Each structure stands twice: as structure tokens, then as C-alpha cells.
Amino acid sequence: MTGRIVLAATPIGNAADASDRLREALATADVVAAEDTRRARDLARRLDVSIAGELIAVHDHNEADRAAGLVERAAGGATVVLVSDAGMPTVSDPGFRLVEAASAAGVDVTVLPGPSAVLTALALSGLPTDRFCFEGFPPRKVGERSRALAALAAEPRTMVFFEAPHRLVDTLEAMAEAWGVDRLAAVSRELTKTYEETRRGALGALVDWARESGPRGEIVVCVAGRPAEAPSVEALVAEALERVATGERAKDAVADLAQAAGVSRRDLYAAVLEARSAGA
């Protein structure tokens, strides 16, 4: 008989966000693998749940050693529930090595979805959400952090970071230096808790706010990606002429390009006609 590994999302602040499936999983699992066993017991207490199975610690320092044993337990029929301190396991939390080992062994892995600090902050940010990337915690050392942010200078997607409150000012200053003080961003703290707060604005203004207010609590920073550069008129004319050369009507090509680039259709059409006359 084969058991399974269950990745169970836990509340990121408000215990009322816990699902009935999480309560059932904690109460019925053969093994509850927790990033911090004390926090797992406290969560169970707040949810009025008793953890009947074995409770063991699985964190960054021992996950590699314990993954094989947990997979073996699941292969033997046990249900192993993995919980992190808050949010979804494997997202800047333990779990990746366990899932990797389970996948290699052919052991079933499933997820109990739930709260996510990444998605919650992204939704609150007021920044584009159609495409985004999660970058975790920026490097602590100044040089490494500068190089990491410089490597993201051309990233067009909204970027999401975790950060500790005592490093927030330094990180925002580094971001402003790497990407410009006018780049839009949002800083969220204490998500779903009593003192939840989200500040939105340019990086330069957020640096001043963070320096003056000294925000505390768990923090998520969302930063807009690099804005797309508007194509030049010359480039638009060249593309229009290429499309005309393939048989498309000039007016159709110009209308399409002008709408996409946000330029005057009349001006672009005049430029295309002038370029065709010059090349005749």
C-alpha cells in the first residue's frame, strides 16, 4: 500500500484563514513534518485540533537527511503532512528536497492549497499581475545584493521579494540605485494580521518612508518590471514596409502598428508613404 506526501499551506497570519482540509490533515496524518514543531503545536491549538500522529522537525538544516526516511514512510502507506511556519511549503521554506525525493521514488505528492504571502502581496501591490517572478530574499552582503539586482535590470515582469525589517531600508536603497528612484513598487507588512499595511509608490519615496517609519513585521516587496521601450517611428515604418512587401495593405499594417505602439495612425501612414516615395 502506498501513502503520500501532503504539502499543506498554513495561515500567514490570521488563523481563521486555515481550511477544513488543513485541520483534517493535521488531525489524521501519520506524520506531521513541521518547520518548527512548537509553532505547529501552537497552530493546532489555535485551530482546536489535536495532532495524533508523530510530530517531527523538518527544516533547512536537516531536510536533506530526513527526506529519504519520510519518503520511505509514505511508500509504506503512511500519510506524511509537511507544514512550514507560514504559507506554502517549498516557497522560501522547506519542502523542495522532500518533493524531489518523493518524485524520484514514485511516491504520490499532493497539495492542500491555502494562504500565500507572495500572491497576497502581489494582489495588493497595484502592479501588473499577469506576469511576475518570485526572487525570495535578496542576498545580505552588499556586493552580492548589488550584482543580483543588476542582473534583474532588464526583467520585464513584476518582481516579488521577501525581506527582513532591519534590512528593508538598505534593500530599497539598493533597488533604487539599480533600477532608478522612479521605479514603482509596493511594500506590504504583517499581511492578514491586525496591523497589515501596504505602501505604494516610487522606490525613492519608499526609501524615505521606510527610513522614517522603521516598519516591523514580516515584509514582502513588489517591484514593477522594466517598462517596455516604445519603438521609434523609423522602426515602425520599417516594419510596415516589410509587411506591405509581403502583400498586406499599407493602411491595415499602419493601423495595426499604430494601435500597438500608441502613436498617431495618420502620422505613421504619412511617414510610410514618404518612405515608399523616397525608395521608389
Side-chain angles (χ1 to χ4, degrees):
M1 179 180 179
T2 301
R4 60 179 180 170
I5 305 290
V6 181
L7 307 178
T10 56
I12 59 177
N14 192 327
D17 292 334
S19 68
D20 290 339
R21 294 182 67 195
L22 173 62
R23 289 181 171 86
E24 181 182 3
L26 292 175
T28 60
D30 298 297
V31 181
V32 175
E35 185 178 7
D36 186 321
T37 55
R38 293 170 298 180
R39 292 196 179 189
R41 289 193 185 95
D42 180 63
L43 175 62
R45 178 188 59 78
R46 287 184 288 147
L47 299 181
D48 195 24
V49 169
S50 296
I51 297 177
E54 181 182 1
L55 178 62
I56 64 173
V58 175
H59 44 70
D60 288 337
H61 303 295
N62 71 1
E63 182 184 359
D65 295 328
R66 292 200 163 173
L70 291 172
V71 169
E72 185 176 353
R73 295 281 296 273
T79 296
V80 178
V81 173
L82 177 69
V83 293
S84 60
D85 289 344
M88 177 59 68
T90 76
V91 182
S92 272
D93 281 325
F96 166 72
R97 291 183 177 87
L98 179 58
V99 174
E100 184 181 40
S103 177
V107 170
D108 185 39
V109 180
T110 189
V111 170
L112 299 186
S116 165
V118 173
L119 297 182
T120 302
L122 183 66
L124 287 170
S125 69
L127 300 173
T129 59
D130 53 338
R131 299 180 66 220
F132 68 93
C133 59
F134 175 58
E135 295 294 328
F137 284 90
R140 298 184 181 185
K141 295 183 179 179
V142 175
E144 293 179 5
R145 181 173 59 210
S146 296
R147 288 190 291 272
L149 297 181
L152 293 169
E155 175 57 62
R157 298 169 294 181
T158 298
M159 298 168 283
V160 184
F161 300 84
F162 287 163
E163 190 51 287
H166 63 280
R167 291 195 297 269
L168 179 61
V169 172
D170 290 341
T171 293
L172 290 175
E173 287 180 339
M175 289 176 172
E177 182 177 353
W179 305 327
V181 295
D182 294 327
R183 181 76 70 91
L184 294 179
V187 178
S188 295
R189 70 180 192 91
E190 295 293 87
L191 291 170
T192 76
K193 299 180 183 178
T194 302
Y195 299 104
E196 175 184 306
E197 179 183 20
T198 294
R199 286 277 178 160
R200 306 172 186 85
L203 281 171
L206 289 174
V207 169
D208 294 337
W209 164 76
R211 187 182 293 116
E212 293 173 3
S213 63
R216 299 180 179 182
E218 297 178 348
I219 290 174
V220 186
V221 180
C222 298
V223 186
R226 180 180 179 179
E229 296 182 1
S232 65
V233 174
E234 291 77 9
L236 292 173
V237 169
E239 185 173 351
L241 292 176
E242 288 181 4
R243 292 170 62 164
V244 169
T246 64
E248 187 173 356
R249 293 178 63 223
K251 287 186 176 181
D252 293 338
V254 166
D256 183 42
L257 292 169
Q259 182 179 11
V263 301
S264 167
R265 180 170 58 181
R266 179 181 297 179
D267 292 344
L268 180 57
Y269 187 63
V272 169
L273 292 179
E274 182 178 353
R276 292 179 71 182
S277 297

